[in-house]
Amino acid sequence: MTLLLLACTGADPASGDTVEPFLMVEDDTLQVEVGVALSLPYTASEGEVTWSFGDGESAEGVIVESHAWAEAGNYVVVVLLTDDEGRRASRTLFVEVYNPHLAVAPSRSSTLVVDGAGAAWAVTADAGVLSRVNARGAAIVEVCERPRNVAPVGGGITFAVACDDDQVAVVDPDTSEVFLRVALATGSHPWGIALDEDTIWVTLAGTGQVLSITFDAEVTVAADCPDPRGIALAAGQVYVSRFRSTPEAGSVCRPGQDPLVLPMHPGPDSDTLAGGVPNLIESLAVSPDGQTLYVPMLQSNVARGLVRSGQPLTYESTVRAALGVVSVDAAEEDWTVRKQLDNQDRVIVVEPSPTGNYLAIAHPGTGTVQFLDAFTLDAVGSLQNAGQGIVGLRWVDDTLFVHADLDRVVRAYAIGAPGTLPELLWETSLVEAEPLDAAVLQGKKLFAQSGDTRISKDGYIACASCHPDGDHDGMTWDFTSRGEGMRNTASLLGRGGTAMGYLHWSANFDEVQDFENDIRNAFGGTGLLNDADWAATSDTLGVSKAGLSVELDALAAYVTSLADTPTSPFHVAATPEREALFLASGCAECHPPPLYTDSNLAVLRLYDVGTLSAASGGRLGGVLDGLDTPTLRGAFSTGPWLHDGSASTLDEAIAAHTTLVLDAGTVSELAAFVSGL
């Protein structure tokens, strides 16, 4: 409780000494439900006290003990004391008037939860652990290979963890042991997890399914949702985010209902706003009153480019951080209401305050947490330098917990009145020892970084903006202004840097360090090389950049570490019979096993298999004679396919090879084989 004092100075007529008429209020931040009278206690010296309640109502010349507000909102209340000599003292109060909350609080997938004792539980995928942390230290559970999200079961009595290695693990916090493992299908890649009163809900990023799991481990496929990630539950409704959108629109899957459409923002583009399709939607949240769905996103401006719109992509018009705010009953988001955040990278998570009147949103690339008024979406404060790679937020009472994954810590902040700076209460490490090599960790931080001006001008773009966790964003970009053309983002997973040869469809990079060119040009950064070294090595196929910058070499170390291909849920489809058909059809001439690509740095091979068009653009500003052969490993999850994203299925991608004469049955069999790689 905060005691506030405001005084004005006068003279004591009896003694002639200075006196201080005063006005005291016990709390400067109060909460009350709509329509419920709120007591407004204060203490004041003699005089007349008047009130302005922020809702158009006021009381003058009387002592006001309570007031009720008719609508939810954040109100500024001003109390004014006027003494007998006309001197005044005033005090400002902030009142959060909130709608009635749901009887059962909404649940959502998160990397971070808080138990009844005020301890935070967070997952660290790189270390394979679930950690319980507070101001006194940490207790660590080795839970699975790649824990993605955690949810409390039974009011925090146990915790269920979605693990990317195809299982759900349930942990006893008292013993710090996994007492139940629910094995799921190979290649299902569990990601989001949430629960209602008697069911654990899990999204499967690999198979595009949503599972319901009872507490006695009965597993049911509850719904099919495209590319599912985040999940939220409220008032009996399930909401599942589509991680990678189509070029036309994003969506939120609602089992039993039509999907919620998240339309393309049409622009126009400016230095503070930009168009784009909602994308990379990793989490969702529902307001405590159950009326509003919050959709954190990155707007990918794929409608822009010299071919598509006649305008070149720039560092401030390529991607834009945004937050969708949608009524749970709406069929389509109103893009005019969508909040865009200037000079920031992607919004990865949103957390409503306990009343729901404020929102905390996290930008992992700049390490920033911003606070918004939930009704106006106006910014009311921010927390800078909250950590690298923020992936989780939890707001309990007046404490905000921040999960900074790349710092391997949870930080707890005391939250005061709007506009005041949060106070760091404590921070605790989530791991006993760093699981990654030092250079790889440094490179992973740089890969996710947009706040470093060497990498990105004004904080907009990180490498992870198009390659989240090293994967792909599902978008096809118009890179004509870069001397290229239509380019479908390729996944870096399983490629091991240059272990599979040249980088990009046009083989325009021969080392990972060549991303310095993107940093300086497309991102608007000042670069990780010094200017002299940049001048000598700016030709991407010329003098090597390796060894000239510790940071650039660390970035290369991280990308090179991405050597594992995600397990395909269709692995059983890659049968010996289909492999024989693959070889007999001539596919292996360009896609020889085991890498399923003939690309290598020793010999440059570019092919036109019948997919080049006028929109395919050039190579290094010159003529594009052909394309580098992409690997087929992991192709099950890299759609859309082909360099221009023109194939929506693997069947279409194979059939587009006019250099092969294949009947429909053969194409189908080959597509099945490739899906299993």
Side-chain angles (χ1 to χ4, degrees):
M1 181 171 291
T2 304
L3 185 65
L4 301 173
L5 172 66
L6 189 66
C8 52
T9 302
D12 184 340
S15 65
D17 295 335
T18 299
V19 296
E20 296 183 344
F22 62 90
L23 173 65
M24 291 191 299
V25 181
E26 290 183 343
D27 270 315
D28 62 343
T29 303
L30 303 169
Q31 296 89 28
V32 66
E33 190 174 298
V34 167
V36 176
L38 174 68
S39 176
L40 299 166
Y42 70 94
T43 303
S45 58
E46 291 187 3
E48 183 180 81
V49 176
T50 61
W51 298 80
S52 174
F53 300 111
D55 59 356
E57 296 188 26
S58 61
E60 299 179 2
V62 296
I63 296 176
V64 177
E65 295 182 353
S66 64
H67 181 74
W69 286 261
E71 294 183 3
N74 296 311
Y75 295 91
V76 178
V77 176
V78 178
V79 55
L80 175 67
L81 167 68
T82 304
D83 70 8
D84 292 341
E85 297 183 16
R87 295 169 303 184
R88 295 183 174 186
S90 65
R91 187 70 242 172
T92 299
L93 293 81
F94 300 94
V95 180
E96 300 174 27
V97 181
Y98 57 88
N99 287 315
H101 291 179
L102 295 174
V104 177
S107 175
R108 67 174 177 85
S109 58
S110 178
T111 64
L112 173 72
V113 296
V114 178
D115 65 22
W121 293 77
V123 296
T124 303
D126 287 335
V129 298
L130 170 67
S131 307
R132 180 186 189 272
V133 297
N134 55 25
R136 296 183 297 276
I140 297 173
V141 183
E142 294 183 358
V143 63
C144 55
E145 282 190 25
R146 293 180 300 278
R148 295 299 188 183
N149 283 277
V150 58
V153 178
I157 299 173
T158 57
F159 292 92
V161 182
C163 300
D164 196 28
D165 56 345
D166 304 327
Q167 61 175 301
V168 171
V170 184
V171 177
D172 183 337
D174 293 329
T175 64
S176 294
E177 293 181 355
V178 177
F179 68 87
L180 175 65
R181 293 186 186 274
V182 181
L184 303 176
T186 299
S188 56
H189 300 292
W191 196 281
I193 188 166
L195 69 137
D196 56 22
E197 293 181 344
D198 57 3
T199 304
I200 300 171
W201 297 82
V202 182
T203 64
L204 305 184
T207 60
Q209 296 172 314
V210 179
L211 301 183
S212 63
I213 304 175
T214 63
F215 294 154
D216 58 2
E218 181 180 346
V219 180
T220 303
V221 177
D224 293 319
C225 293
D227 203 6
R229 283 289 179 94
I231 184 169
L233 311 173
Q237 181 61 57
V238 179
Y239 306 90
V240 179
S241 69
R242 178 171 184 162
F243 182 53
R244 286 165 289 222
S245 304
T246 70
E248 293 78 30
S251 64
V252 173
C253 182
R254 299 182 292 190
Q257 297 185 45
D258 292 335
L260 169 67
V261 177
L262 309 171
M264 166 83 74
H265 191 298
D269 303 335
S270 69
D271 61 344
T272 57
L273 297 172
V277 64
N279 201 28
L280 304 189
I281 305 169
E282 193 159 309
S283 66
L284 299 167
V286 178
S287 59
D289 62 9
Q291 296 180 17
T292 306
L293 178 68
Y294 297 110
V295 187
M297 64 180 70
L298 182 74
Q299 281 190 174
S300 297
N301 201 0
V302 290
R304 185 177 175 118
L306 290 182
V307 171
R308 288 175 171 161
S309 70
Q311 298 174 300
L313 286 166
T314 66
Y315 75 90
E316 60 185 350
S317 65
T318 302
V319 291
R320 181 72 56 150
L323 175 68
V325 181
V326 196
S327 168
V328 294
D329 298 324
E332 181 172 312
E333 177 209 12
D334 181 355
W335 62 264
T336 65
V337 178
R338 188 182 302 161
K339 176 70 173 181
Q340 295 194 34
L341 292 308
D342 197 25
N343 297 339
Q344 295 289 345
D345 73 313
R346 168 188 178 194
V347 182
I348 194 170
V349 63
V350 56
E351 172 74 352
S353 67
T355 61
N357 283 37
Y358 294 97
L359 305 173
I361 60 173
H363 304 279
T366 62
T368 302
V369 177
Q370 294 198 70
F371 299 95
L372 307 179
D373 183 308
F375 301 97
T376 66
L377 299 183
D378 292 334
V380 294
S382 67
L383 176 58
Q384 305 293 321
N385 303 314
Q388 294 205 54
I390 300 172
V391 292
L393 299 173
R394 285 291 180 179
W395 198 333
V396 179
D397 297 328
D398 59 355
T399 302
L400 181 69
F401 299 84
V402 179
H403 178 195
D405 181 55
L406 296 182
D407 287 340
R408 316 300 195 201
V409 302
V410 167
R411 297 184 172 95
Y413 294 88
I415 305 299
T420 60
L421 186 66
E423 176 190 356
L424 178 64
L425 300 174
W426 54 264
E427 64 176 77
T428 301
S429 176
L430 295 168
V431 298
E432 294 176 342
E434 173 53 45
L436 299 183
D437 174 82
V440 172
L441 176 61
Q442 182 184 17
K444 187 170 185 178
K445 290 180 177 181
L446 291 166
F447 193 86
Q449 178 65 254
S450 67
D452 187 333
T453 56
R454 296 175 303 168
I455 294 175
S456 178
K457 186 174 183 179
D458 293 344
Y460 291 113
I461 310 177
C463 298
S465 298
C466 294
H467 296 282
D469 293 318
D471 208 346
H472 70 105
D473 63 359
M475 297 288 110
T476 299
W477 297 88
D478 181 353
F479 286 160
T480 307
S481 59
R482 299 189 190 183
E484 296 287 313
M486 298 300 171
R487 297 291 183 266
N488 181 17
T489 305
S491 174
L492 304 177
L493 301 182
R495 275 61 174 173
T498 56
M500 293 185 181
Y502 289 87
L503 301 175
H504 295 158
W505 289 96
S506 64
N508 60 353
F509 287 3
D510 62 2
E511 59 181 349
V512 179
Q513 286 87 342
D514 284 330
F515 282 104
E516 174 80 0
N517 290 58
D518 283 344
I519 287 171
R520 284 180 174 255
N521 297 322
F523 298 8
T526 59
L528 298 174
L529 291 175
N530 65 50
D531 289 343
D533 287 336
W534 164 246
T537 63
S538 60
D539 180 354
T540 57
L541 301 183
V543 178
S544 174
K545 299 178 178 67
L548 300 178
S549 163
V550 172
E551 291 90 350
L552 201 55
D553 288 345
L555 186 65
Y558 168 64
V559 175
T560 300
S561 75
L562 303 174
D564 294 331
T565 302
T567 302
S568 171
F570 315 111
H571 60 97
V572 295
T575 63
E577 293 79 11
R578 285 174 174 149
E579 181 178 20
L581 179 62
F582 180 84
L583 298 173
S585 299
C587 301
E589 292 182 14
C590 298
H591 297 280
L595 298 182
Y596 292 93
T597 175
D598 64 356
S599 178
N600 65 82
L601 297 179
V603 180
L604 176 64
R605 299 185 180 94
L606 300 178
Y607 304 99
D608 179 6
V609 296
T611 59
L612 292 184
S613 69
S616 298
R619 175 177 183 264
L620 296 168
V623 175
L624 179 67
D625 295 323
L627 301 168
D628 190 47
T629 306
T631 180
L632 300 181
R633 289 172 57 175
F636 77 94
S637 67
T638 59
W641 292 269
L642 301 181
H643 76 284
D644 57 0
S646 58
S648 59
T649 66
L650 283 170
D651 292 67
E652 291 179 11
I654 294 171
H657 288 60
T658 59
T659 52
L660 299 175
V661 180
L662 304 170
D663 59 54
T666 301
V667 168
S668 179
E669 289 293 295
L670 291 173
F673 174 74
V674 171
S675 71
L677 296 176

